[in-house]
Amino acid sequence: IEFLKTIKDHRPETVVILITAYASGETAVNAMQEGAFDYVEKGGSIEELKQIVRQALLKNGLVSESQTPTQEGQEGFFCGMIGTSREMGKVFATIKKVANTPANILILGESGTGKELVARAIHANSSRSKMPFMAINSGGIPENLLESELFGYMKGSFTGAYADRAGLFELAKGGTVFLDEIGELPPVLQVKLLRVVQERKLRKLGGTKEIPFDVRIVVASNEDLSSAYASGKFREDLYHRFNEFSLKVIPLRERGNDIIELAEHFLTKANQDLNKNIKGFDEDTIKCFYQYSWPGNIRQLFNAIRVAIALLDDGETLISECHLPEELFEVNPFS
């Protein structure tokens, strides 16, 4: 954060994206307040990072909308996502249709299917694309900290609150707020968030003033929220507020040849990252990819290929079954 401040003091026009292995909600808020364009936790995909970089370039006029990477101009590539299956074609088309509507959007899909990439694509194709995209995992932050992350806090509102701080809804400033795993939101915060979404005004922790805000709200869940509200876990009125439009990202096992297209793409990236020259996959490996159910979806496929490449001996040029993680041969619930 101190380095970020120094950059902004000396060269305020510099576009800064922070990447860290030690992410915390408070640090993310501090980073955005000090002028960072985005704050990324290590472990995400290269494609996701490239999309964030592109949004930063677009915002600052360093590239135009017509200047797209070669990959993006090819069939099956869209905003960092890959797929030529009919199902993914529908997802891409839907994103383009809803991106410029004012509707709140609910993205459904299993873990690892790329829900945040979908949210970023919605933002990138909207009129808000030059404004911030702020993302937070609703289940990844303790309840007592999550409220201040979302809405901000006033000086003295709790121990350690030495100055007023803006929350994500203020920091987004005309952009998009993405709330991931919204089904994990604690009941007390569901009530507070409902009021904020309805009135488009927020009150900072420890504050009395109502602060208006203008953001697009996109949420995501890996569980069926209609079942969650039926069981009392999630508020029905909040569900309907978020579900002005819903979009489902299908699991990898239902995407047909997209599996191999993604595998080949990840192979190319892994070769670059690991300085390897692996040519491809043998027939048994391809058969395994199609037969396995991928409960971890795209994230699991990416990790499996990187592990396989790391296990190849010098001189080997094809990934075979012996290089794949053992989990790919275990019985799993989707088989």
Side-chain angles (χ1 to χ4, degrees):
I1 298 298
E2 292 301 318
F3 184 51
L4 171 62
K5 291 179 181 178
T6 300
I7 292 173
K8 287 299 181 179
D9 285 343
H10 289 80
R11 294 289 297 274
E13 74 279 8
T14 304
V15 184
V16 180
I17 299 171
L18 291 183
I19 307 177
T20 178
Y22 305 99
S24 73
E26 183 176 359
T27 306
V29 172
N30 289 345
M32 301 305 288
Q33 288 179 324
E34 296 298 338
F37 177 78
D38 210 334
Y39 182 91
V40 184
E41 187 172 357
K42 285 184 179 178
S45 72
I46 295 298
E47 289 307 315
E48 179 182 338
L49 181 57
K50 286 171 65 178
Q51 181 65 17
I52 295 171
V53 171
R54 173 157 180 77
Q55 290 169 4
L57 295 173
L58 285 169
K59 178 184 177 183
N60 288 274
L62 299 177
V63 297
S64 68
E65 291 287 356
S66 61
Q67 289 177 282
T68 56
T70 302
Q71 236 180 27
E72 286 293 323
Q74 299 175 3
E75 180 183 0
F77 290 88
F78 177 69
C79 292
M81 294 177 285
I82 298 171
T84 55
S85 65
R86 181 181 178 185
E87 291 78 7
M88 287 308 294
K90 290 180 180 178
V91 171
F92 298 161
T94 301
I95 289 171
K96 294 175 182 177
K97 289 179 180 178
V98 304
N100 261 329
T101 69
N104 297 329
I105 296 179
L106 169 63
I107 303 172
L108 298 172
E110 296 174 9
S111 294
T113 50
K115 296 187 292 295
E116 183 166 344
L117 277 178
V118 171
R120 289 185 179 277
I122 291 170
H123 175 74
N125 284 272
S126 74
S127 58
R128 298 176 180 268
S129 61
K130 290 183 170 60
M131 305 308 289
F133 176 94
M134 303 295 296
I136 193 168
N137 188 325
S138 305
I141 299 177
E143 180 177 349
N144 61 345
L145 183 59
L146 184 56
E147 181 178 358
S148 63
E149 294 298 310
L150 292 173
F151 311 132
Y153 57 83
M154 302 298 292
K155 178 181 178 180
S157 57
F158 56 84
T159 303
Y162 301 116
D164 295 352
R165 292 290 186 183
L168 296 190
F169 281 87
E170 278 189 273
L171 292 172
K173 295 178 181 177
T176 300
V177 170
F178 174 57
L179 307 177
D180 199 5
E181 303 307 345
I182 194 67
E184 301 298 320
L185 197 69
V188 173
L189 278 183
Q190 290 183 34
V191 176
K192 294 183 178 180
L193 189 56
L194 174 64
R195 180 180 177 86
V196 168
V197 174
Q198 286 177 332
E199 300 185 3
R200 294 285 162 164
K201 295 180 181 178
L202 61 86
R203 182 181 300 171
K204 291 184 179 181
L205 190 65
T208 58
K209 181 182 178 181
E210 295 282 344
I211 303 172
F213 64 88
D214 172 30
V215 298
R216 170 76 164 285
I217 300 175
V218 180
V219 303
S221 176
N222 62 6
E223 61 178 310
D224 184 355
L225 286 188
S226 60
S227 298
Y229 79 67
S231 64
K233 180 183 176 182
F234 198 83
R235 292 184 63 95
E236 182 176 0
D237 45 8
L238 184 58
Y239 166 76
H240 289 300
R241 283 287 177 181
F242 286 147
N243 190 27
E244 293 179 349
F245 189 92
S246 64
L247 191 159
K248 185 172 183 180
V249 187
I250 62 173
L252 183 59
R253 61 184 171 276
E254 297 177 13
R255 290 180 54 178
N257 289 335
D258 284 357
I259 295 174
I260 301 304
E261 292 177 6
L262 284 161
E264 291 174 345
H265 176 74
F266 292 150
L267 176 65
T268 299
K269 293 299 181 184
N271 274 332
Q272 294 172 352
D273 295 343
L274 303 175
N275 195 27
K276 297 276 190 173
N277 188 30
I278 310 304
K279 302 300 184 183
F281 313 94
D282 66 17
E283 291 184 6
D284 289 336
T285 299
I286 293 175
K287 182 178 179 181
C288 176
F289 284 168
Y290 278 123
Q291 291 179 340
Y292 187 61
S293 59
W294 301 106
N297 290 288
I298 299 171
R299 188 181 299 122
Q300 185 183 12
L301 174 62
F302 174 75
N303 291 337
I305 291 173
R306 289 185 69 89
V307 168
I309 289 179
L311 292 176
L312 260 69
D313 295 325
D314 291 341
E316 292 182 298
T317 59
L318 291 178
I319 293 176
S320 61
E321 284 186 300
C322 65
H323 304 120
L324 299 176
E326 293 183 2
E327 63 191 34
L328 270 64
F329 306 97
E330 296 174 356
V331 176
N332 56 74
F334 300 111
S335 296

